[in-house]
Amino acid sequence: MSRFDEAKKMYASLGVDAEAAIEQLKDVCISVHCWQGDDVGGFDSPEALSGGIQTTGNYPGKARTPAELMADIDKAFSLMPGKKKLNLHACYAIFDGAPAGRDQLEPKHFKAWVDYAKARNLGIDFNPTFFAHPMVKDNLTLSSPDETVRRYWVEHGKACIRISEYFAEETGVPCVMNIWIPDGYKDIPADRLGPRARFRKSLDEILSIPYDKTKVYVTLESKVFGIGLESYTVGSAEFCLSYSTKAGITPLMDNGHYHPTEVVSDKISSLLLFNEKIALHVTRPVRWDSDHVVLFDDETKEIAKEIVRNNALQRVFIATDYFDASINRISAWVTGVRNVQKALLFALLQPNDKLKALQDSADMTALMVLQEEMKTAPFGDVWDEYLRRENVPADYLSAVQDYEKKVLVNRV
Ligand code: RNT
Ligand code: ZN
């Protein structure tokens, strides 16, 4: 009997169908962020990263051109099982000839990405880029009191909706367009309402353009603070959640965007009760929103459990969001995405009905014992079987090291 067969038997004894878990996992799409490959650099502006986010490290091999980034994404995707979507930022526009400002971006500036995605049967998600640009003034964009600045970024948001619709039409897959602005203050403001009122007005203006809501899902991502923006964040949790509900768009939670003892896993159920769809940025905050590579850790598993046991795999847009420049970037990509998938498989392999029944009968003793027992169940054997069926190697490190030797080290 193979290790998988043994594991299957063990899970079956608990009422868990390992085959069904694998089948379900195959259909879950993870939206993979393109920005792990070049430290959130992009191609449209030479400005350094800003907006209170930071990539640290200088591991060799960062992608410097669209061709390099595309090659790296190919390498990374070849080592990830399951369904993927490509998540792009507006700063990854590819100009062939005259560059355009962010307020002037058009679908044609993303044609190379559409060709890339179509050739690989990928859908595309999108993000307007409200950072690392000279039109960010005093750390403000959509909430700026300077009308020229505010308008510029409203036009950017509108342009991005048009581009998102183009992605959906070309690929045949709906596009999730996520709005996140870095706007905030390092020190105590005198007016907290004004910037938020302007942000609300700007969002209203962006969303006023007609677009097909079955093709473009606009999401809004909140944040607690950024580096250099410690005292006040315009797009706070309360602002973004209230706005999303009122405007009928989709709320997005990034698990690096809350106070250190707050957990997104506990928030998912509440949002599911009041939203048809919700969206996540899965990351690993270490003491702050540091965007470390996602690990197979307790909170990632808990997030996955909340999605699976609430029957919400079709209602949650799952995207990765991290950027580590201190290790091989391809490995960072693959490790983080695989860990999201591992967490989902782990969740699919829990005896969820049994656990709920124990909770409802107030048998917290048996609940604790069973939950603990599941931690050492032969999960790894089911994961390995999933990789085998998906035709990706269990050992991706050798492939990454080989690519590093042949390709990445030459980028100097
Ligand atoms: C920043 C947000 C945002 C960015 C990306 C690059 O704190 O998490 O999602 O990481 O848009
Ligand atoms: Zn995020």
Side-chain angles (χ1 to χ4, degrees):
M1 216 189 241
S2 72
R3 291 179 62 140
F4 174 63
D5 288 329
E6 292 277 3
K8 207 159 94 176
K9 253 177 70 184
M10 188 267 147
Y11 278 108
S13 73
L14 288 156
V16 174
D17 183 345
E19 290 285 352
I22 289 179
E23 283 311 304
Q24 267 189 285
L25 184 62
K26 276 184 185 162
D27 282 336
V28 181
C29 183
I30 308 292
S31 182
V32 181
H33 61 308
C34 76
W35 50 92
Q36 167 58 56
D38 71 336
D39 310 342
V40 209
F43 306 124
D44 81 327
S45 156
E47 293 260 322
L49 187 56
S50 73
I53 54 178
Q54 214 174 314
T55 305
T56 53
N58 56 355
Y59 199 84
K62 165 165 100 174
R64 299 160 302 180
T65 62
E68 287 181 354
L69 186 60
M70 287 176 185
D72 291 358
I73 295 171
D74 276 339
K75 181 42 85 181
F77 277 25
S78 76
L79 299 170
M80 296 167 187
K83 285 201 179 136
K84 277 92 64 183
K85 224 173 157 185
L86 176 61
N87 199 2
L88 293 176
H89 240 285
C91 61
Y92 290 83
I94 298 174
F95 302 125
D96 133 39
R102 291 207 185 143
D103 59 335
Q104 304 283 327
L105 286 175
E106 289 176 56
K108 67 175 182 199
H109 302 124
F110 292 87
K111 182 174 183 302
W113 285 113
V114 163
D115 293 343
Y116 174 88
K118 275 180 161 174
R120 291 156 182 80
N121 239 315
L122 296 167
I124 305 178
D125 288 336
F126 200 45
N127 305 260
T129 311
F130 296 102
F131 52 80
H133 192 275
M135 281 304 278
V136 179
K137 191 179 165 197
D138 305 326
N139 298 318
L140 303 174
T141 62
L142 291 178
S143 74
S144 176
D146 180 332
E147 193 54 15
T148 312
V149 170
R150 198 188 66 81
R151 286 239 56 86
Y152 181 88
W153 291 108
V154 167
E155 288 311 312
H156 177 54
K158 290 181 181 172
C160 287
I161 291 189
R162 291 188 285 266
I163 294 161
S164 297
E165 205 162 24
Y166 159 74
F167 286 151
E169 271 156 15
E170 291 290 323
T171 63
V173 183
C175 174
V176 176
M177 191 194 95
N178 179 49
I179 297 178
W180 169 72
I181 61 163
D183 299 30
Y185 288 105
K186 179 186 173 82
D187 228 319
I188 304 164
D191 174 17
R192 290 186 170 85
L193 187 68
R196 289 187 174 132
R198 288 189 292 270
F199 186 26
R200 177 174 69 176
K201 179 167 166 231
S202 299
L203 289 170
D204 286 346
E205 287 168 9
I206 291 170
L207 296 171
S208 73
I209 68 162
Y211 66 96
D212 184 340
K213 298 193 172 58
T214 65
K215 289 185 181 148
V216 179
Y217 288 89
V218 177
T219 65
L220 183 62
E221 178 180 14
S222 66
K223 188 160 179 172
V224 62
F225 80 93
I227 298 292
L229 307 158
E230 288 86 356
S231 298
Y232 170 79
T233 296
V234 180
S236 61
E238 295 75 13
F239 176 95
C240 290
L241 208 44
S242 306
Y243 188 89
S244 302
T245 306
K246 195 121 202 225
I249 59 169
T250 302
L252 185 147
M253 295 189 289
D254 178 313
N255 63 301
H257 290 192
Y258 297 86
H259 292 285
T261 57
E262 254 186 295
V263 281
V264 160
S265 53
D266 185 60
K267 301 174 189 296
I268 291 173
S269 48
S270 299
L271 264 57
L272 283 174
L273 285 172
F274 297 98
N275 294 274
E276 178 43 37
K277 304 266 187 197
I278 69 168
L280 298 177
H281 272 182
V282 186
T283 187
R284 178 165 53 106
V286 178
R287 307 191 190 286
W288 64 288
D289 182 32
S290 59
D291 288 294
H292 280 61
V293 175
V294 175
L295 299 183
F296 185 51
D297 57 16
D298 284 347
E299 174 58 3
T300 309
K301 284 184 221 173
E302 208 59 24
I303 287 172
K305 286 187 205 166
E306 285 300 310
I307 301 170
V308 167
R309 62 195 176 192
N310 294 326
N311 233 325
L313 280 166
Q314 303 307 319
R315 294 173 57 201
V316 183
F317 297 118
I318 307 172
T320 48
D321 181 16
Y322 51 81
F323 22 99
D324 192 338
S326 74
I327 57 173
N328 180 299
R329 292 172 185 77
I330 314 283
S331 181
W333 245 324
V334 179
T335 303
V337 171
R338 281 191 181 209
N339 282 331
V340 174
Q341 295 167 323
K342 269 189 192 168
L344 289 165
L345 182 62
F346 187 81
L348 287 162
L349 288 169
Q350 301 304 299
N352 290 313
D353 294 339
K354 206 176 210 156
L355 293 167
K356 271 182 204 170
L358 289 172
Q359 174 178 323
D360 289 343
S361 60
D363 192 348
M364 306 317 263
T365 308
L367 177 58
M368 180 192 282
V369 171
L370 183 53
Q371 280 185 318
E372 288 306 295
E373 195 184 324
M374 294 315 295
K375 291 183 182 172
T376 49
F379 166 77
D381 295 332
V382 183
W383 172 253
D384 287 345
E385 177 66 14
Y386 173 63
L387 294 179
R388 237 185 326 271
R389 293 186 191 182
E390 285 288 297
N391 276 313
V392 294
D395 164 29
Y396 57 93
L397 183 59
S398 316
V400 166
Q401 287 169 334
D402 190 51
Y403 188 74
E404 178 169 320
K405 261 190 239 124
K406 288 192 177 128
V407 180
L408 300 181
V409 293
N410 301 319
R411 293 178 186 168
V412 277

